[in-house]
Amino acid sequence: MPKPRPLFSSLAAALAVAFAALLPHAAQAQESDTLAKIKASGAITFGYRESSFGFSYLDGNLKPVGYSIEICNRIVEAVKSELKMPAIEIKYQAVTSANRIPLVQNGTVDIECGSTTNLVDRQKQVAFSPDIFRYNVRMLVKADSGIRSIADLQGRTVATTSGTTSFRLLREADRGRNLDVTNLAGKDHSDSFLLVESGRAQAFVLDDILLAGQLANARNPKDFVITGESLRTENQSLMFRKDDPAFKALVDRVVSGMMKSGEMEKLYNKWFMAPIPPKGININYPLNAETKDAFANPSSKGI
């Protein structure tokens, strides 16, 4: 008759098997920690937009610059301090409205320094910083088009950028009006603007601050106007992987600190109230009441 195994030995064996089974999951959890990833690689990857003027775009040397990029640079300085690393390489990955969330989720991008709306629905997939900007969704049209309200879009073609919420918001605002509106999607904001400039679309619906950036960079800015009812007040934030409380705490601390110290408003004035590269154009978009509230009461609640 075999000798019974001691209870302690049986428990130890069971625990060893359970621990071995958990090892892959523990390794996966560690890999998903952004700070650990940065420490191991010595680098962080910024997601940037190519034509979100003022926020995140390419300068004359094709280098990503802008308000969002500078905030991300401040975050890197805090990461250096946190990890006691004298240097961290910053890598850049271009993103679009359509691919930005997948590239953050799969680890290609560590933090998206662009012009993304913090939506509660998107929080199921990614995490956000406190709002760095709040704005109204409106439309850009040719000045001589006669279009000044949503009702004027009857039978017209409307440009939106692929992956944005703009056309859905237009449709929601259109309830009860029975407008016949055709959507034409551009691959990025500059492409959508060209659809209006070329006459293929009669209006471009987007965040008014981004429309102002397109307008400021147009060949003939006076040929266009930003007009119409606000479809919704929205909020822009930096975006990064969810379920990473340590990295979110660091981002929140840096962004909130910049707001409380007044640094964020100075940075805002630099990019939206003064000449910016590459053409020395001033977007001339004064700080609105909604963004002032965001600076006074930092929040990543989302809408």
Side-chain angles (χ1 to χ4, degrees), residues 25-302:
H25 299 285
Q28 186 176 359
Q30 187 175 7
E31 288 169 5
S32 71
D33 182 334
T34 304
L35 292 173
K37 180 174 180 284
I38 294 169
K39 188 170 186 177
S41 66
I44 184 172
T45 301
F46 288 1
Y48 72 92
R49 300 298 295 269
E50 294 182 320
S51 59
S52 289
F53 296 113
F55 288 97
S56 180
Y57 66 100
L58 296 172
D59 68 7
N61 298 314
L62 301 183
K63 177 184 176 182
V65 295
Y67 176 68
S68 301
I69 297 290
E70 285 215 47
I71 298 170
C72 284
N73 286 336
R74 303 292 196 282
I75 290 168
V76 172
E77 293 304 311
V79 172
K80 288 180 185 177
S81 177
E82 180 85 9
L83 299 179
K84 297 179 173 55
M85 295 176 67
I88 293 174
E89 180 186 2
I90 298 175
K91 298 180 179 180
Y92 297 96
Q93 171 66 51
V95 300
T96 66
S97 297
N99 69 16
R100 55 191 168 182
I101 290 178
L103 289 178
V104 168
Q105 287 181 300
N106 69 19
T108 302
V109 167
D110 294 311
I111 184 166
E112 192 241 5
C113 316
S115 53
T116 296
T117 304
N118 177 4
L119 299 176
V120 171
D121 189 56
R122 285 175 176 167
Q123 292 176 10
K124 298 172 185 175
Q125 302 172 284
V126 290
F128 292 93
S129 72
D131 301 341
I132 60 171
F133 193 89
R134 291 180 184 160
Y135 52 88
N136 293 296
V137 179
R138 299 177 71 202
M139 59 185 174
L140 178 146
V141 301
K142 287 186 176 179
D144 61 1
S145 67
I147 299 172
R148 292 298 181 269
S149 70
I150 294 171
D152 295 331
L153 294 176
Q154 175 65 35
R156 309 293 186 113
T157 297
V158 176
T160 59
T161 302
S162 178
T164 65
T165 60
S166 301
F167 196 66
R168 177 174 62 81
L169 291 175
L170 179 61
R171 278 299 189 197
E172 289 173 355
D174 180 33
R175 286 175 183 164
R177 301 189 188 188
N178 298 315
L179 292 185
D180 177 19
V181 181
T182 302
N183 184 216
L184 193 58
K187 62 181 174 58
D188 58 29
H189 302 327
S190 290
D191 189 39
S192 297
F193 175 76
L194 285 173
L195 293 175
V196 175
E197 189 175 44
S198 66
R200 293 178 62 196
Q202 286 72 58
F204 175 20
V205 177
L206 189 67
D207 318 342
D208 58 2
I209 178 60
L210 294 177
L211 293 176
Q214 292 293 326
L215 187 59
N217 280 276
R219 283 176 290 183
N220 299 296
K222 293 182 179 179
D223 290 349
F224 305 90
V225 294
I226 298 170
T227 187
E229 309 93 312
S230 171
L231 300 180
R232 184 165 71 175
T233 298
E234 294 195 336
N235 47 349
Q236 285 183 7
S237 304
L238 307 175
M239 180 172 63
F240 42 93
R241 284 179 290 283
K242 64 176 299 186
D243 300 325
D244 192 344
F247 190 65
K248 176 164 174 54
L250 184 146
V251 170
D252 287 1
R253 185 174 71 248
V254 172
V255 173
S256 298
M258 292 175 68
M259 291 171 176
K260 292 174 182 176
S261 71
E263 183 182 4
M264 194 71 82
E265 186 168 348
K266 290 178 182 177
L267 205 58
Y268 178 95
N269 289 332
K270 172 182 176 180
W271 289 100
F272 301 108
M273 292 299 294
I276 60 173
K279 300 178 182 178
I281 292 169
N282 186 344
I283 294 176
N284 193 26
Y285 189 99
L287 192 66
N288 59 30
E290 293 87 352
T291 304
K292 286 180 181 178
D293 180 67
F295 290 177
N297 304 286
S299 170
S300 56
K301 182 178 178 182

